Amino acid sequence: MPKIILNEKEIDFEEDINPYLEFEKLGVDFSCHNGVCGTCKIKVLKGMENINPKTEMEEEFPLDEDERLACQCHKLKGNVEAKYEEW
Ligand code: FES
Protein backbone atom coordinates (compact mmCIF):
# COMPACT_ATOMS: atom_id res chain seq x y z
CA MET A 1 0.00 0.00 0.00
CA PRO A 2 1.46 3.42 -0.91
CA LYS A 3 2.51 5.83 1.84
CA ILE A 4 2.65 9.54 2.49
CA ILE A 5 5.64 10.39 4.63
CA LEU A 6 5.50 13.88 6.08
CA ASN A 7 8.08 15.22 8.53
CA GLU A 8 9.09 11.58 9.13
CA LYS A 9 5.56 10.49 10.14
CA GLU A 10 3.86 8.17 7.71
CA ILE A 11 0.41 7.00 6.76
CA ASP A 12 -0.81 4.40 4.26
CA PHE A 13 -3.41 5.36 1.68
CA GLU A 14 -5.50 3.83 -1.08
CA GLU A 15 -4.16 4.60 -4.55
CA ASP A 16 -5.95 7.35 -6.55
CA ILE A 17 -7.55 8.93 -3.48
CA ASN A 18 -7.80 12.64 -2.81
CA PRO A 19 -5.15 12.84 -0.02
CA TYR A 20 -6.55 15.86 1.86
CA LEU A 21 -7.50 13.92 5.03
CA GLU A 22 -4.20 12.04 5.09
CA PHE A 23 -2.21 15.28 4.85
CA GLU A 24 -4.35 16.77 7.62
CA LYS A 25 -3.83 13.75 9.89
CA LEU A 26 -0.09 14.17 9.42
CA GLY A 27 -0.23 17.79 10.56
CA VAL A 28 -0.78 19.96 7.47
CA ASP A 29 -2.97 22.99 8.22
CA PHE A 30 -5.53 24.07 5.64
CA SER A 31 -7.40 27.32 5.37
CA CYS A 32 -8.87 28.29 2.01
CA HIS A 33 -8.75 24.82 0.37
CA ASN A 34 -8.57 26.63 -2.98
CA GLY A 35 -4.88 27.22 -3.66
CA VAL A 36 -5.01 30.87 -2.59
CA CYS A 37 -3.64 31.25 0.95
CA GLY A 38 -0.54 29.02 0.84
CA THR A 39 -1.15 27.61 4.36
CA CYS A 40 -0.83 24.04 3.09
CA LYS A 41 2.44 24.49 1.17
CA ILE A 42 4.65 21.39 1.30
CA LYS A 43 8.11 20.66 -0.06
CA VAL A 44 8.12 17.35 -1.94
CA LEU A 45 11.29 15.39 -1.21
CA LYS A 46 10.38 12.25 -3.20
CA GLY A 47 7.51 11.11 -5.41
CA MET A 48 6.53 14.29 -7.27
CA GLU A 49 5.80 11.99 -10.24
CA ASN A 50 3.11 10.30 -8.13
CA ILE A 51 1.09 13.51 -7.67
CA ASN A 52 -1.30 15.04 -10.22
CA PRO A 53 0.28 17.83 -12.32
CA LYS A 54 0.26 21.30 -10.76
CA THR A 55 -3.13 22.95 -10.99
CA GLU A 56 -3.78 26.37 -12.50
CA MET A 57 -3.92 27.82 -8.96
CA GLU A 58 -0.49 26.36 -8.17
CA GLU A 59 0.95 27.71 -11.44
CA GLU A 60 -0.14 31.19 -10.36
CA PHE A 61 1.19 30.79 -6.79
CA PRO A 62 4.87 31.59 -6.11
CA LEU A 63 6.13 28.03 -5.58
CA ASP A 64 9.58 26.55 -6.06
CA GLU A 65 9.87 23.60 -8.44
CA ASP A 66 9.72 21.10 -5.55
CA GLU A 67 6.83 22.75 -3.71
CA ARG A 68 3.12 21.97 -3.90
CA LEU A 69 -0.06 23.16 -2.24
CA ALA A 70 -1.44 20.07 -0.48
CA CYS A 71 -5.02 21.21 -1.11
CA GLN A 72 -4.31 21.04 -4.86
CA CYS A 73 -2.89 17.49 -4.74
CA HIS A 74 -6.01 15.66 -5.86
CA LYS A 75 -4.60 12.28 -6.85
CA LEU A 76 -1.66 10.28 -5.55
CA LYS A 77 -0.51 7.19 -7.38
CA GLY A 78 2.38 6.05 -5.20
CA ASN A 79 4.68 6.98 -2.34
CA VAL A 80 5.17 10.66 -1.58
CA GLU A 81 7.65 12.04 0.94
CA ALA A 82 7.36 15.68 1.88
CA LYS A 83 8.23 18.29 4.46
CA TYR A 84 5.82 20.78 5.99
CA GLU A 85 6.53 23.76 8.17
CA GLU A 86 3.75 25.65 9.92
CA TRP A 87 3.61 29.32 9.01
S1 FES B 1 -5.40 25.67 2.04
FE1 FES B 1 -5.08 27.59 1.14
S2 FES B 1 -3.67 27.14 -0.44
FE2 FES B 1 -4.12 25.19 0.37
Side-chain angles (χ1 to χ4, degrees):
M1 189 175 273
K3 295 180 189 315
I4 299 171
I5 303 167
L6 189 87
N7 296 351
E8 299 177 13
K9 290 186 279 182
E10 63 181 62
I11 196 166
D12 294 331
F13 66 94
E14 299 291 331
E15 206 165 307
D16 282 333
I17 57 148
N18 182 331
Y20 159 69
L21 287 176
E22 281 70 17
F23 279 124
E24 192 169 50
K25 283 180 201 162
L26 291 170
V28 175
D29 291 328
F30 293 86
S31 183
C32 71
H33 296 265
N34 287 315
V36 175
C37 70
T39 304
C40 65
K41 184 171 76 176
I42 58 173
K43 179 183 280 285
V44 178
L45 306 175
K46 291 181 190 165
M48 185 70 91
E49 69 279 7
N50 292 327
I51 309 175
N52 58 288
K54 284 187 178 174
T55 65
E56 196 174 311
M57 296 306 287
E58 289 178 291
E59 295 293 350
E60 291 174 9
F61 200 89
L63 294 173
D64 290 340
E65 194 69 26
D66 60 351
E67 292 176 332
R68 297 295 303 262
L69 298 174
C71 69
Q72 300 297 296
C73 297
H74 301 308
K75 288 243 179 180
L76 300 185
K77 295 188 174 296
N79 292 356
V80 173
E81 184 173 349
K83 188 173 174 197
Y84 173 73
E85 291 174 12
E86 283 182 45
W87 289 59

PDB file of all heavy atoms in Angstrom, residues 29-40 61 69-72, ligand 1:
ATOM      1  N   ASP A  29      -1.839  22.091   7.978  1.00  0.00           N
ATOM      2  CA  ASP A  29      -2.974  22.987   8.223  1.00  0.00           C
ATOM      3  C   ASP A  29      -3.552  23.440   6.886  1.00  0.00           C
ATOM      4  O   ASP A  29      -2.804  23.650   5.922  1.00  0.00           O
ATOM      5  CB  ASP A  29      -2.521  24.226   9.000  1.00  0.00           C
ATOM      6  CG  ASP A  29      -2.124  23.896  10.423  1.00  0.00           C
ATOM      7  OD1 ASP A  29      -2.714  22.955  10.999  1.00  0.00           O
ATOM      8  OD2 ASP A  29      -1.221  24.556  10.961  1.00  0.00           O
ATOM      9  N   PHE A  30      -4.844  23.577   6.838  1.00  0.00           N
ATOM     10  CA  PHE A  30      -5.527  24.069   5.639  1.00  0.00           C
ATOM     11  C   PHE A  30      -6.370  25.270   6.025  1.00  0.00           C
ATOM     12  O   PHE A  30      -6.859  25.358   7.154  1.00  0.00           O
ATOM     13  CB  PHE A  30      -6.444  22.980   5.053  1.00  0.00           C
ATOM     14  CG  PHE A  30      -5.694  21.802   4.495  1.00  0.00           C
ATOM     15  CD1 PHE A  30      -5.311  20.749   5.318  1.00  0.00           C
ATOM     16  CD2 PHE A  30      -5.362  21.753   3.160  1.00  0.00           C
ATOM     17  CE1 PHE A  30      -4.622  19.662   4.813  1.00  0.00           C
ATOM     18  CE2 PHE A  30      -4.670  20.676   2.635  1.00  0.00           C
ATOM     19  CZ  PHE A  30      -4.299  19.621   3.468  1.00  0.00           C
ATOM     20  N   SER A  31      -6.537  26.175   5.104  1.00  0.00           N
ATOM     21  CA  SER A  31      -7.396  27.318   5.374  1.00  0.00           C
ATOM     22  C   SER A  31      -8.396  27.498   4.238  1.00  0.00           C
ATOM     23  O   SER A  31      -9.566  27.161   4.366  1.00  0.00           O
ATOM     24  CB  SER A  31      -6.538  28.577   5.568  1.00  0.00           C
ATOM     25  OG  SER A  31      -7.355  29.654   5.891  1.00  0.00           O
ATOM     26  N   CYS A  32      -7.929  27.983   3.088  1.00  0.00           N
ATOM     27  CA  CYS A  32      -8.871  28.292   2.007  1.00  0.00           C
ATOM     28  C   CYS A  32      -9.318  27.059   1.213  1.00  0.00           C
ATOM     29  O   CYS A  32     -10.367  27.060   0.599  1.00  0.00           O
ATOM     30  CB  CYS A  32      -8.242  29.302   1.051  1.00  0.00           C
ATOM     31  SG  CYS A  32      -6.903  28.621   0.043  1.00  0.00           S
ATOM     32  N   HIS A  33      -8.502  26.037   1.157  1.00  0.00           N
ATOM     33  CA  HIS A  33      -8.752  24.817   0.365  1.00  0.00           C
ATOM     34  C   HIS A  33      -8.825  25.100  -1.137  1.00  0.00           C
ATOM     35  O   HIS A  33      -9.297  24.265  -1.894  1.00  0.00           O
ATOM     36  CB  HIS A  33     -10.034  24.092   0.801  1.00  0.00           C
ATOM     37  CG  HIS A  33      -9.972  23.569   2.202  1.00  0.00           C
ATOM     38  ND1 HIS A  33      -9.608  22.288   2.496  1.00  0.00           N
ATOM     39  CD2 HIS A  33     -10.203  24.176   3.382  1.00  0.00           C
ATOM     40  CE1 HIS A  33      -9.637  22.118   3.802  1.00  0.00           C
ATOM     41  NE2 HIS A  33      -9.994  23.246   4.363  1.00  0.00           N
ATOM     42  N   ASN A  34      -8.422  26.256  -1.564  1.00  0.00           N
ATOM     43  CA  ASN A  34      -8.567  26.632  -2.976  1.00  0.00           C
ATOM     44  C   ASN A  34      -7.276  27.077  -3.652  1.00  0.00           C
ATOM     45  O   ASN A  34      -7.325  27.673  -4.722  1.00  0.00           O
ATOM     46  CB  ASN A  34      -9.598  27.762  -3.103  1.00  0.00           C
ATOM     47  CG  ASN A  34     -10.998  27.249  -2.885  1.00  0.00           C
ATOM     48  OD1 ASN A  34     -11.379  26.211  -3.413  1.00  0.00           O
ATOM     49  ND2 ASN A  34     -11.776  27.969  -2.098  1.00  0.00           N
ATOM     50  N   GLY A  35      -6.139  26.837  -3.017  1.00  0.00           N
ATOM     51  CA  GLY A  35      -4.883  27.219  -3.664  1.00  0.00           C
ATOM     52  C   GLY A  35      -4.600  28.707  -3.631  1.00  0.00           C
ATOM     53  O   GLY A  35      -3.851  29.210  -4.458  1.00  0.00           O
ATOM     54  N   VAL A  36      -5.167  29.413  -2.655  1.00  0.00           N
ATOM     55  CA  VAL A  36      -5.009  30.866  -2.594  1.00  0.00           C
ATOM     56  C   VAL A  36      -4.108  31.307  -1.441  1.00  0.00           C
ATOM     57  O   VAL A  36      -3.240  32.156  -1.602  1.00  0.00           O
ATOM     58  CB  VAL A  36      -6.398  31.549  -2.460  1.00  0.00           C
ATOM     59  CG1 VAL A  36      -6.246  33.051  -2.261  1.00  0.00           C
ATOM     60  CG2 VAL A  36      -7.232  31.261  -3.693  1.00  0.00           C
ATOM     61  N   CYS A  37      -4.296  30.719  -0.245  1.00  0.00           N
ATOM     62  CA  CYS A  37      -3.636  31.249   0.952  1.00  0.00           C
ATOM     63  C   CYS A  37      -2.202  30.743   1.156  1.00  0.00           C
ATOM     64  O   CYS A  37      -1.392  31.402   1.788  1.00  0.00           O
ATOM     65  CB  CYS A  37      -4.463  30.938   2.192  1.00  0.00           C
ATOM     66  SG  CYS A  37      -4.478  29.178   2.638  1.00  0.00           S
ATOM     67  N   GLY A  38      -1.888  29.569   0.683  1.00  0.00           N
ATOM     68  CA  GLY A  38      -0.544  29.015   0.844  1.00  0.00           C
ATOM     69  C   GLY A  38      -0.301  28.319   2.183  1.00  0.00           C
ATOM     70  O   GLY A  38       0.795  27.823   2.441  1.00  0.00           O
ATOM     71  N   THR A  39      -1.299  28.250   3.039  1.00  0.00           N
ATOM     72  CA  THR A  39      -1.150  27.614   4.357  1.00  0.00           C
ATOM     73  C   THR A  39      -0.660  26.172   4.247  1.00  0.00           C
ATOM     74  O   THR A  39       0.095  25.698   5.080  1.00  0.00           O
ATOM     75  CB  THR A  39      -2.509  27.625   5.098  1.00  0.00           C
ATOM     76  OG1 THR A  39      -2.957  28.960   5.177  1.00  0.00           O
ATOM     77  CG2 THR A  39      -2.390  27.039   6.500  1.00  0.00           C
ATOM     78  N   CYS A  40      -1.090  25.480   3.222  1.00  0.00           N
ATOM     79  CA  CYS A  40      -0.828  24.044   3.092  1.00  0.00           C
ATOM     80  C   CYS A  40       0.407  23.724   2.247  1.00  0.00           C
ATOM     81  O   CYS A  40       0.574  22.594   1.805  1.00  0.00           O
ATOM     82  CB  CYS A  40      -2.051  23.366   2.478  1.00  0.00           C
ATOM     83  SG  CYS A  40      -2.352  23.914   0.788  1.00  0.00           S
ATOM     84  N   PHE A  61       0.672  30.549  -8.134  1.00  0.00           N
ATOM     85  CA  PHE A  61       1.192  30.793  -6.791  1.00  0.00           C
ATOM     86  C   PHE A  61       2.722  30.765  -6.839  1.00  0.00           C
ATOM     87  O   PHE A  61       3.294  29.958  -7.575  1.00  0.00           O
ATOM     88  CB  PHE A  61       0.679  29.692  -5.837  1.00  0.00           C
ATOM     89  CG  PHE A  61       0.735  30.080  -4.390  1.00  0.00           C
ATOM     90  CD1 PHE A  61      -0.324  30.728  -3.787  1.00  0.00           C
ATOM     91  CD2 PHE A  61       1.863  29.796  -3.632  1.00  0.00           C
ATOM     92  CE1 PHE A  61      -0.262  31.087  -2.449  1.00  0.00           C
ATOM     93  CE2 PHE A  61       1.933  30.154  -2.297  1.00  0.00           C
ATOM     94  CZ  PHE A  61       0.860  30.800  -1.700  1.00  0.00           C
ATOM     95  N   LEU A  69       0.983  22.813  -3.214  1.00  0.00           N
ATOM     96  CA  LEU A  69      -0.063  23.160  -2.245  1.00  0.00           C
ATOM     97  C   LEU A  69      -0.842  21.876  -2.001  1.00  0.00           C
ATOM     98  O   LEU A  69      -1.431  21.308  -2.942  1.00  0.00           O
ATOM     99  CB  LEU A  69      -0.961  24.257  -2.813  1.00  0.00           C
ATOM    100  CG  LEU A  69      -0.246  25.581  -3.115  1.00  0.00           C
ATOM    101  CD1 LEU A  69      -1.193  26.555  -3.819  1.00  0.00           C
ATOM    102  CD2 LEU A  69       0.323  26.208  -1.845  1.00  0.00           C
ATOM    103  N   ALA A  70      -0.826  21.374  -0.769  1.00  0.00           N
ATOM    104  CA  ALA A  70      -1.443  20.073  -0.480  1.00  0.00           C
ATOM    105  C   ALA A  70      -2.923  20.047  -0.853  1.00  0.00           C
ATOM    106  O   ALA A  70      -3.437  19.009  -1.264  1.00  0.00           O
ATOM    107  CB  ALA A  70      -1.245  19.708   0.988  1.00  0.00           C
ATOM    108  N   CYS A  71      -3.596  21.187  -0.756  1.00  0.00           N
ATOM    109  CA  CYS A  71      -5.020  21.209  -1.111  1.00  0.00           C
ATOM    110  C   CYS A  71      -5.249  21.042  -2.609  1.00  0.00           C
ATOM    111  O   CYS A  71      -6.375  20.792  -3.040  1.00  0.00           O
ATOM    112  CB  CYS A  71      -5.690  22.484  -0.623  1.00  0.00           C
ATOM    113  SG  CYS A  71      -5.178  23.990  -1.484  1.00  0.00           S
ATOM    114  N   GLN A  72      -4.199  21.184  -3.403  1.00  0.00           N
ATOM    115  CA  GLN A  72      -4.312  21.038  -4.857  1.00  0.00           C
ATOM    116  C   GLN A  72      -3.786  19.678  -5.331  1.00  0.00           C
ATOM    117  O   GLN A  72      -3.767  19.401  -6.527  1.00  0.00           O
ATOM    118  CB  GLN A  72      -3.555  22.168  -5.556  1.00  0.00           C
ATOM    119  CG  GLN A  72      -4.077  23.551  -5.205  1.00  0.00           C
ATOM    120  CD  GLN A  72      -5.508  23.752  -5.658  1.00  0.00           C
ATOM    121  OE1 GLN A  72      -5.802  23.737  -6.852  1.00  0.00           O
ATOM    122  NE2 GLN A  72      -6.413  23.919  -4.701  1.00  0.00           N
TER     123      GLN A  72
HETATM  124  S1  FES B   1      -5.401  25.667   2.039  1.00  0.00           S
HETATM  125 FE1  FES B   1      -5.076  27.587   1.136  1.00  0.00          FE
HETATM  126  S2  FES B   1      -3.666  27.139  -0.444  1.00  0.00           S
HETATM  127 FE2  FES B   1      -4.123  25.191   0.370  1.00  0.00          FE
END
